[in-house]
Amino acid sequence: MTAPTRPATPDTAPETEAATAPVAAPADTAAPTWPAEFAERYRAAGWWRGETFGAVLRERAEARPDRVAVVDHAGPDGARRAWTYGELDLRADRLAAGLAARGIGRGDKVVVQLPNVAEFFEVIFALFRLGALPVFALPAHRESEISYFASFTEAVAYVIPAEDAGFDYRSLATTVLARTPSLRHVFVVGADAGPFEALSDVPAEPVPLTGPAPSDLAFLQLSGGSTGVPKLIPRTHDDYIYSLRGSNEICGVDETSVYLCVLPAAHNFPLSSPGSLGALYAGGRVVMCPRPAPDAAFPLIQDEGVTITGLVPPLALVWSDAAAASNYDLSSLDVLLVGGAKFGEEAARRVKPALGCTLQQVFGMAEGLVNYTRLDDDTATIVTTQGRPISPDDEIRIVDDEDRDVPEGTTGHLLTRGPYTIRGYWNAPEHNARSFTADGFYRTGDLVRVTPSGHLVVEGRAKDQINRGGEKIAAEEVENHLLAHPSVHDANVVAEPDPYLGERSCAYVIPRADAPAIGALALKRFVRDRGLAAFKVPDRIVFVEAFPTTGVGKVSKKDLRARTASGD
Ligand code: AMP
Ligand code: DBH
């Protein structure tokens, strides 16, 4: 990476600027929202209560300033840090003031790519208070994804760790900065900021700020997607906070709860189902787990008295196995949420005997709708269904290919609409015309049936996506990267069964006859070197002469999937 570094932050911002509120950016017109009659209904029903994240944190801090809000082990030499609500509140105010002094304000987008450290909350609550929007990236994302998020949202700042899991995010930021004209600041969490500004140098004396309105956007969340580029999901304070309140009630989260954040903190599942933000909303405690392996998580469960956490299915299996051989006391754990991908019945049955806690299956999406099995559901329901919606106002339709309702109990496409499900992706009118019905239902792409008790069972997927143990891969995005290689004539990426991940990705590639041959390993390296998150690099590449086609001559992904299943 040879990109020149331009100074990321004017380091001469005069102190006096801190007192001046930043100039408001134009209001976000790029996000479709709920029609007035729906918004009124959701307010009247008490789902939307006019709260904002900034104000919620202030209320918790005023009520119980000395209660611990966030714990991590990211202090010097891995020292434990415990921030109280009072401290988190003050840190958010001080960081907001420092960011405002650097010209960051309402409507500005900030790409946040942090591992599971306490600063994650300092940053997002500071942005919430400013009315600036975090764009939630995952630690696994690389140049390809981050440059896209930053340029598509015209982000003004990018927040990274110095290093994490052996990867240097400062060099990634150097590349992204060179490619993204809108980006003016890179803030680094950690000891050595390199050419950029340390986040710890930003905070300033708090300044009065006019916070966002509850109906304003709070952040842009990411979709796993099924198209060439990831889509961004606009969530408001009102709608997201409702999903937290509803989740807390269903999962029994209150001020005594201790939530262990195991999956990447910015992902919608650990963020909101009920997740770290649910725990903070309830006045409970969040413990940040730096790695999902049992050797990192089990000591934290024991020492911090963790009561609830959430895992993807492959991890739930690893934890169930590890618990049998472990000497750690996991008895504080009441609830384990498992979701992100289908959790098989046999695996689900193992959870309670192995970990001694109640399993809650969760079938959710960053676009909105979240379903949970209930704590008092019978065992058969808990192990064979993916739960039922949070809200009585979540509308569910199961339809055939022509959008006609299927008979009750039959599998079909899941469409949904409700008080915390978006009405459109951010700045994507063409996608929206396809992904939403004319009357505002989101086409989830999931194939689902509903049991007589109203629980949903996920039977499959119609969208062109691979669900690699909960990590979603849009086939088209990877196909585009494969097609960029001069020796590739055509490429199709499909899911193939994997005993551990559920699915992994397999790329079928037709080589170009007139180009030098390329091997599978070299092609994988090519894709990785294009700056794609490692989990999207095809697990297997098969070279073929032609693709199977459907009756009208389209490539039949169904037949390709069948080929992988037969081991071809
Ligand atoms: P995203 O839209 O990227 O947030 O991903 C959400 C998608 O993950 C859903 O539409 C499902 O395809 C999948 N998913 C999430 N939870 C489950 C689950 N418990 N069982 C099956 N699929 C799931
Ligand atoms: O996979 C998901 O996106 C997901 C899974 C469980 C999610 O967004 C959620 C719960 O909120």
Side-chain angles (χ1 to χ4, degrees):
M1 280 181 238
T2 52
T5 45
R6 74 182 122 95
T9 306
D11 49 14
T12 49
E15 282 292 293
T16 49
E17 261 187 37
T20 332
V23 180
D28 247 306
T29 50
T33 187
W34 291 266
E37 79 248 41
F38 284 87
E40 276 160 32
R41 189 167 109 203
Y42 298 152
R43 283 196 190 96
W47 311 142
W48 296 357
R49 294 194 184 162
E51 296 172 303
T52 63
F53 281 106
V56 164
L57 176 60
R58 179 84 80 235
E59 275 174 34
R60 303 296 175 272
E62 281 172 356
R64 304 278 180 85
D66 299 327
R67 276 185 82 90
V68 171
V70 186
V71 173
D72 74 5
H73 287 76
D77 296 323
R80 179 179 187 271
R81 302 186 296 177
W83 293 355
T84 63
Y85 276 90
E87 182 170 2
L88 179 59
D89 184 51
L90 181 61
R91 279 178 175 266
D93 270 349
R94 289 179 52 80
L95 183 58
L99 294 172
R102 283 158 182 74
I104 298 175
R106 177 152 322 171
D108 284 336
K109 318 294 182 298
V110 176
V111 177
V112 178
Q113 186 182 31
L114 288 176
N116 291 359
V117 292
E119 284 87 351
F120 175 78
F121 298 105
E122 180 181 356
V123 169
I124 68 171
F125 278 98
L127 295 173
F128 292 155
R129 288 220 164 126
L130 288 167
L133 308 186
V135 180
F136 284 128
L138 298 174
H141 288 139
R142 294 293 178 260
E143 292 100 274
S144 171
E145 291 94 355
I146 303 291
S147 297
Y148 173 74
F149 302 147
S151 58
F152 185 58
T153 63
E154 297 182 6
V156 298
Y158 175 31
V159 188
I160 53 165
E163 276 182 356
D164 185 57
F167 181 75
D168 187 342
Y169 286 83
R170 294 160 299 194
S171 68
L172 171 58
T174 302
T175 312
V176 171
L177 193 64
R179 284 199 200 171
T180 318
S182 62
L183 212 52
R184 290 187 273 117
H185 306 276
V186 174
F187 301 116
V188 182
V189 173
D192 178 5
F196 306 116
E197 186 170 17
L199 187 83
S200 57
D201 288 342
V202 178
E205 268 312 293
V207 291
L209 295 164
T210 327
S215 56
D216 285 347
L217 295 187
F219 53 80
L220 296 174
Q221 185 52 283
L222 303 184
S223 158
S226 54
T227 49
V229 289
K231 287 167 286 181
L232 293 165
I233 296 169
R235 301 291 300 259
T236 64
H237 294 262
D238 261 338
D239 92 76
Y240 210 67
I241 290 176
Y242 170 47
S243 82
L244 301 179
R245 200 170 347 99
S247 296
N248 281 352
E249 204 169 300
I250 291 165
C251 305
V253 169
D254 62 23
E255 61 178 17
T256 66
S257 299
V258 182
Y259 181 83
L260 186 69
C261 183
V262 174
L263 301 171
H267 189 277
N268 199 62
F269 173 16
L271 194 63
S272 68
S273 297
S276 53
L277 290 182
L280 294 177
Y281 183 84
R285 183 179 297 191
V286 179
V287 176
M288 297 303 245
C289 191
R291 290 181 297 112
D295 69 323
F298 288 4
L300 289 175
I301 295 175
Q302 172 182 282
D303 298 347
E304 303 287 344
V306 168
T307 61
I308 177 166
T309 187
L311 299 175
V312 289
L315 275 177
L317 278 177
V318 170
W319 280 34
S320 296
D321 286 348
S326 160
N327 291 324
Y328 287 102
D329 178 3
L330 307 180
S331 60
S332 60
L333 195 62
D334 290 329
V335 175
L336 176 66
L337 292 130
V338 179
K342 174 94 177 233
F343 199 32
E345 179 182 341
E346 289 315 313
R349 281 191 191 281
R350 284 190 220 163
V351 168
K352 192 161 193 169
L355 290 158
C357 58
T358 303
L359 167 67
Q360 245 183 327
Q361 293 213 42
V362 50
F363 162 40
M365 51 208 75
E367 287 82 353
L369 179 73
V370 181
N371 305 276
Y372 296 100
T373 56
R374 299 308 198 255
L375 295 173
D376 60 358
D377 278 341
D378 57 53
T379 302
T381 305
I382 290 176
V383 299
T384 61
T385 81
Q386 280 64 58
R388 57 188 173 83
I390 292 176
S391 178
D393 261 337
D394 281 323
E395 298 172 73
I396 299 289
R397 285 185 63 201
I398 311 290
V399 301
D400 65 15
D401 289 345
E402 271 75 51
D403 279 356
R404 290 173 305 219
D405 293 305
V406 299
E408 258 179 63
T410 316
T411 299
H413 301 277
L414 170 64
L415 311 184
T416 186
R417 187 168 80 169
Y420 59 96
T421 297
I422 56 163
R423 291 302 187 109
Y425 292 102
W426 189 79
N427 211 353
E430 277 160 36
H431 286 316
N432 289 341
R434 265 176 281 133
S435 299
F436 293 80
T437 65
D439 55 354
F441 279 81
Y442 168 52
R443 299 181 188 277
T444 66
D446 294 310
L447 298 173
V448 163
R449 74 183 158 82
V450 183
T451 69
S453 60
H455 288 71
L456 274 48
V457 178
V458 180
E459 297 284 12
R461 189 171 54 240
K463 56 191 165 191
D464 197 6
Q465 185 183 75
I466 296 98
N467 190 331
R468 193 176 185 278
E471 290 186 302
K472 321 298 188 303
I473 303 167
E476 190 187 335
E477 186 183 356
V478 183
E479 288 159 5
N480 285 339
H481 284 282
L482 289 164
L483 283 166
H485 194 284
S487 297
V488 171
H489 169 70
D490 203 355
N492 271 285
V493 178
V494 294
E496 66 177 336
D498 180 272
Y500 170 60
L501 294 166
E503 294 177 10
R504 60 178 191 158
S505 65
C506 178
Y508 285 91
V509 172
I510 302 178
R512 267 180 64 162
D514 55 354
I518 181 167
L521 263 180
L523 193 50
K524 284 188 197 184
R525 199 174 316 120
F526 170 79
V527 172
R528 189 186 301 262
D529 288 348
R530 285 177 58 84
L532 207 60
F535 70 84
K536 295 180 188 169
V537 176
D539 291 294
R540 195 161 74 97
I541 295 181
V542 182
F543 292 97
V544 292
E545 279 175 15
F547 299 131
T549 49
T550 65
V552 288
K554 290 202 291 184
V555 173
S556 169
K557 287 213 163 176
K558 201 169 138 209
D559 287 331
L560 283 175
R561 275 181 218 117
R563 275 180 73 165
T564 68
S566 67
D568 240 347

